[in-house]
Amino acid sequence: MYATERQEQIGQLLEDDGSVSVVELAARFDVTTETIRRDLDQLESAGTLRRVHGGAVAIDRVSTAEPTLGERRDRHSGAKLAIGRRAADAVSDGFRGSVFFDAGTTTAAVAAQLAPRLATPSVEVVTHAISLAYEISTAPSAALTLIGGRVRGVTGAAVGADTVRSIESLRPDIAFIGTNGISAGFGLSTPDPDEAAVKSAIVRAARRVVVVADRDKLDVELLVGFAGLQDIDVLVTDAVPSAALAQALTDADVEVWIS
């Protein structure tokens, strides 16, 4: 096999799995690890991947990568819809109380599924996400509180010290949280420190924390951790977690709901 063919296949593996191992690639292509390292060096120079210890990760898996709201809205839309349907079970029919929605396209999918149950004065909805607040506000009977602050264009969410202080003064019954990564060793993480501070405040404030994350977020670690697995109650996802993550979730007494 020519080097260009091998590198094309490595690129496809990265697209499918998000990461590759030097040792596994050497065995797969029956070449030396030095050959694979040269392949990865060339692919990194071309901007295809980022080298890490023992292998490489796709560019969108690096610790500071953060897609825009529009890019995330179009990615895995079917999976997010299924996750939204499953996560909606956390709010029973006739629920009376308060629900906090974190910013994100998956949390927005949950809100869309819950709309009939939220459009009542007996349920107070709180969010710091502008687009999500707009959707909820279209329901005539919705009781909605929008947390203010400096708005990040990437996520359309309010962040900053004022936002965190406002959240710290609340005690929502249920919070739906999005995350960019969840792993056995690092817990929940996101690329931006300001977003992490807000997410951490929501987790601390809520009585029950429901994390919604599609399969691309599993076993992923971003730059800033904002909660440990022991801080959450339920993980709703569209894939069975890896053995290591599943065990860590069990040890932390986290319920795993598969959509």
Side-chain angles (χ1 to χ4, degrees):
M1 180 182 292
Y2 292 110
T4 52
E5 295 178 275
R6 189 171 56 247
Q7 290 168 15
E8 287 178 2
Q9 292 191 29
I10 292 172
Q12 185 60 55
L13 288 169
L14 274 170
E15 185 175 333
D16 294 339
D17 301 333
S19 64
V20 292
S21 159
V22 169
V23 173
E24 292 176 357
L25 289 175
R28 181 187 186 97
F29 294 111
D30 193 22
V31 296
T32 65
T33 55
E34 289 74 15
T35 297
I36 293 299
R37 289 190 180 95
R38 285 194 295 271
D39 287 338
L40 297 182
D41 287 340
Q42 292 180 31
L43 289 168
E44 184 175 44
S45 297
T48 303
L49 53 78
R50 179 72 57 84
R51 290 295 305 275
V52 296
H53 180 70
V57 296
I59 290 299
D60 63 357
R61 290 290 186 99
V62 298
S63 66
T64 56
E66 187 173 17
T68 65
L69 189 61
E71 290 170 338
R72 285 184 287 123
R73 187 178 294 115
D74 295 334
R75 186 179 297 176
H76 304 307
S77 57
K80 291 174 182 177
L81 177 60
I83 290 171
R85 288 173 178 158
R86 184 68 178 92
D89 291 339
V91 178
S92 59
D93 290 330
F95 172 83
R96 300 173 66 87
S98 52
V99 180
F100 198 117
F101 286 102
D102 183 22
T105 52
T106 312
T107 51
V110 182
Q113 292 297 314
L114 285 173
R117 279 173 263 179
L118 299 178
T120 169
S122 65
V123 179
E124 181 71 31
V125 180
V126 186
T127 187
H128 65 298
I130 293 176
S131 59
L132 199 154
Y134 174 76
E135 292 298 328
I136 295 171
S137 69
T138 58
S141 302
L144 171 67
T145 297
L146 175 61
I147 302 294
R150 177 176 60 84
V151 177
R152 289 189 74 227
V154 175
T155 59
V159 297
D162 290 340
T163 307
V164 170
R165 279 194 292 269
S166 295
I167 294 169
E168 288 175 339
S169 68
L170 302 174
R171 188 65 164 153
D173 294 301
I174 301 173
F176 291 97
I177 305 289
T179 185
N180 297 78
I182 179 169
S183 71
F186 198 49
L188 283 70
S189 57
T190 192
D192 184 75
D194 288 336
E195 294 276 358
V198 171
K199 290 176 181 292
S200 181
I202 299 169
V203 170
R204 293 194 306 271
R207 301 179 190 276
R208 183 169 173 80
V209 177
V210 180
V211 174
V212 290
D214 64 56
R215 66 184 65 204
D216 278 359
K217 312 303 192 307
L218 305 182
D219 293 309
V220 172
E221 297 177 351
L222 281 299
L223 181 62
V224 189
F226 66 86
L229 298 182
Q230 72 279 1
D231 298 319
I232 69 176
D233 298 291
V234 180
L235 168 65
V236 188
T237 185
D238 64 322
V240 176
S242 65
L245 179 55
Q247 186 59 58
L249 290 163
T250 298
D251 292 343
D253 199 26
V254 177
E255 297 178 42
V256 178
W257 299 357
I258 308 298
S259 61

